[in-house]
Amino acid sequence: MTTPHLPKVAGINPPLSAPSHTPPPASAEDEAASPTDSAGSPGTGECAGPAGPGDSARSPHGPGGASPAGSPGGAGPSSSASCPATAGPCGAPAPARSPRPAPHAVVQDHLAGWICDLTALQELTERLARTDTLDSALRELLRAGAALVGARRGLVTLQPAHGPGRDRRTTVGLGLGQADLGHLETIPHGPLPAGTTGPPAAYDACGRLFDDLPPAGSRAGAAHPDIAADENLHPRHREVAARLGYGASYAVPLESEAAGRLGAAVWLYDEPAEPTGRQRHLAGLYRDYATEHLARHLALAEARETAATLHEELLPSRLPRIAGVRLAVRHRTGPRGGGDWYDALPLPEGALGLTVGGVTGSGPGAVAATGRLRASLRAYAVMEGEDPVAVLSDLELLLRLTEPARSATAVFAYWDPAERKVVLAGAGHCPPLIIGEHRVAYVETSLSAPLGMLACWEAPSIEIEPAPGETLLFYSDGLLHRTGDTMDRAFARLHAAAASVPRAARHDPDAVVEHILRTVLPDDSESPTGTDSPEDVVLLAARFD
């Protein structure tokens, strides 16, 4: 007896069990003696009976020859005993016997199925790996899971009990609108799983669909093949299923050994159905990879939020109130934590210092450098703010000595209320924009290098006298870079946005910066972190009464 073992491919268990044994190969003598494998197959008329017209050609005794008595095919009492057990009545052909597939053919069929499954899993995991945001990863998880289990709709809920993402629940639906999610939230909770001491986060809101999932530590799925006929479900659950038009569901926990339980996903069938064992196996393999991918996205999102919060804390918590000047600001932090800053600080004798700048790079290091430079600039401004060139020269020396691997751009302006003039100097930064009743123009600042680029930085300052009602707008280069245009086109776009500020809104600096931001960047002005661009966006406006 031989026992072939089917090979395992990439951890996928064979959906069909291996045959318990394979019959040994028959010998030549066995083949000659076997009525089923001999040249005369069973039921071909070897039994005694009327001979057909063609039987004489196959007879060993020639045409019209008679077999000896008692021999196979001869007339006599022993002729009936010569009929095979599987043959029909003598003279009638036996039913055809289907050939048994060879063992190697079964193995090839299994291997072909496994290779097909592996190919599908590879394509789906590659699509998931290309997602660069948590929302896109959740939507890809739902789409791929629906394809694996044969469903059309689904939803996923994330809220880990600990670690990144624990303070915020995220729910994404596939083929379900907000109204549908609202109906699902009305399903009452069932009894909590054994070993659950309280309502965990995964059982909140739409998590009511996951009541049948096992407690943490088990990754088994839960299926309801026929919701309408399931008397164990809450009547409200069956009512919502009938309203939304789904007849079955299959839920799986999103859990891994490293990340723990992050949440759960459920797919909804239009008709009563249940995934097969093969579908469950493939969905489980994909779920394990997707859970690790989602855990990395949660950790990355938390790190970005931490960097953004730290950056915001390093910037002014509120703008000062200065007689004759009204201020407004908009700040959008890049997802990686950019290095831009702004400041407005009151100075002696009712003066005001305004600055916008940025350091190279992004991430926690750039944020920390931003905090150090802004704090140093405030000190220099208090001591010699009336000379913006001196302020930037001291800042450049500090940067070159303490941050030799970094460079920075900055603009600093000093408002003198007694003479109603603004003195400003820039170091490689974008020129401010003055917006008034009769003019919208860029301030002609002198061309200068960024801080830290030259052995000795120096540039002349310029003076402007804003008329009452005019607004001086400072901004970061991230505002221009996020447009995706060339710099010339971006400057023209900003100028056009400033010129299009409604006349009734020009007296309010908040309305001015909001209009400009929405016009220049219509796609990401609503998001506090903007798009995927690493650039920060800063707009600081000062309106002079």
Side-chain angles (χ1 to χ4, degrees):
M1 307 290 286
T2 60
T3 305
H5 295 279
L6 299 180
K8 294 184 178 180
V9 181
I12 296 186
N13 295 325
L16 299 177
S17 58
S20 58
H21 68 280
T22 301
S27 63
E29 293 78 2
D30 294 337
E31 292 181 355
S34 174
T36 60
D37 298 332
S38 61
S41 60
T44 59
E46 291 184 23
C47 300
D55 291 342
S56 60
R58 296 188 299 269
S59 174
H61 301 286
S67 298
S71 64
S78 62
S79 61
S80 61
S82 65
C83 295
T86 58
C90 290
R97 177 180 297 178
S98 59
R100 176 181 297 174
H104 66 272
V106 177
V107 173
Q108 290 177 350
D109 290 343
H110 289 180
L111 283 176
W114 298 337
I115 292 173
C116 180
D117 292 342
L118 282 174
T119 302
L121 280 177
Q122 180 183 7
E123 293 177 356
L124 294 176
T125 52
E126 286 179 352
R127 289 174 61 94
L128 182 65
R130 286 194 293 266
T131 58
D132 52 3
T133 63
L134 180 61
D135 183 75
S136 61
L138 292 175
R139 297 186 185 280
E140 177 60 26
L141 164 66
L142 287 175
R143 190 201 64 80
L148 289 173
V149 302
R152 191 173 63 89
R153 292 177 289 176
L155 66 90
V156 58
T157 296
L158 285 187
Q159 190 172 15
H162 55 82
R166 62 188 177 278
D167 298 329
R168 181 179 59 190
R169 179 174 58 85
T170 303
T171 300
V172 175
L174 173 68
L176 298 171
Q178 292 297 325
D180 299 333
L181 296 178
H183 285 301
L184 293 174
E185 290 179 0
T186 64
I187 300 176
H189 275 298
L192 294 177
T196 304
T197 58
Y203 291 89
D204 292 340
C206 294
R208 295 174 174 89
L209 292 175
F210 311 127
D211 283 345
D212 294 336
L213 289 179
S218 174
R219 305 181 198 175
H224 292 290
D226 193 349
I227 293 177
D230 194 345
E231 298 294 336
N232 295 325
L233 294 177
H234 195 279
R236 178 59 182 167
H237 191 165
R238 298 196 295 271
E239 178 184 347
V240 170
R243 177 186 292 270
L244 299 185
Y246 67 91
S249 65
Y250 178 61
V252 295
L254 299 177
E255 181 176 340
S256 68
E257 295 181 1
R261 178 162 294 188
L262 304 180
V266 62
W267 289 276
L268 308 176
Y269 296 86
D270 294 342
E271 301 292 339
E274 185 176 4
T276 64
R278 170 178 167 273
Q279 289 176 324
R280 294 185 186 222
H281 181 65
L282 293 177
L285 292 175
Y286 181 80
R287 180 269 317 275
D288 293 342
Y289 176 83
T291 302
E292 297 292 345
H293 187 71
L294 293 176
R296 291 190 291 269
H297 269 299
L298 288 172
L300 180 60
E302 185 178 59
R304 288 176 173 176
E305 290 179 1
T306 301
T309 301
L310 176 61
H311 195 183
E312 292 293 337
E313 292 298 325
L314 293 175
L315 297 175
S317 57
R318 61 182 181 86
L319 297 175
R321 293 181 179 271
I322 302 294
V325 181
R326 286 189 292 168
L327 302 174
V329 69
R330 292 292 185 275
H331 180 220
R332 300 283 184 263
T333 303
R336 302 177 188 173
D340 288 358
W341 79 79
Y342 69 90
D343 206 350
L345 61 155
L347 298 175
E349 300 179 357
L352 174 67
L354 300 170
T355 180
V356 170
V359 300
T360 55
S362 60
V367 172
T370 296
R372 292 191 292 268
L373 289 182
R374 173 178 169 266
S376 302
L377 189 145
R378 291 174 68 94
Y380 298 144
V382 170
M383 294 185 296
E384 48 192 3
E386 67 279 358
D387 186 358
V389 173
V391 172
L392 293 182
S393 296
D394 292 342
L395 188 65
E396 193 274 339
L397 178 60
L398 177 69
L399 181 67
R400 188 151 41 87
L401 295 176
T402 61
E403 308 273 353
R406 293 190 183 274
S407 61
T409 65
V411 59
F412 180 77
Y414 176 82
W415 161 248
D416 186 351
E419 300 185 10
R420 287 194 60 85
K421 69 176 181 180
V422 176
V423 183
L424 61 89
H429 203 78
C430 304
L433 184 64
I434 190 163
I435 307 169
E437 187 74 21
H438 304 290
R439 61 172 174 169
V440 175
Y442 289 104
V443 177
E444 293 295 338
T445 56
S446 58
L447 184 63
S448 60
L451 303 176
M453 298 293 289
L454 301 177
C456 181
W457 180 90
E458 186 174 356
S461 61
I462 62 168
E463 296 183 2
I464 58 174
E465 297 181 0
E470 289 187 329
T471 300
L472 190 60
L473 179 69
F474 302 88
Y475 52 94
S476 66
D477 55 0
L479 177 67
L480 306 176
H481 292 161
R482 282 203 187 187
T483 63
D485 295 331
T486 62
M487 292 304 289
D488 288 344
R489 289 181 176 271
F491 276 117
R493 187 170 179 174
L494 176 58
H495 186 277
S500 66
V501 175
R503 188 179 301 273
R506 293 192 176 186
H507 69 280
D508 184 5
D510 265 307
V512 171
V513 294
E514 187 67 23
H515 174 84
I516 293 175
L517 185 60
R518 289 178 178 273
T519 304
V520 177
L521 302 176
D523 296 331
D524 65 348
S525 58
E526 293 292 337
S527 174
T529 58
T531 60
D532 294 336
S533 171
E535 300 283 349
D536 286 5
V537 172
V538 174
L539 287 92
L540 177 62
R543 184 182 187 275
F544 302 95
D545 296 330

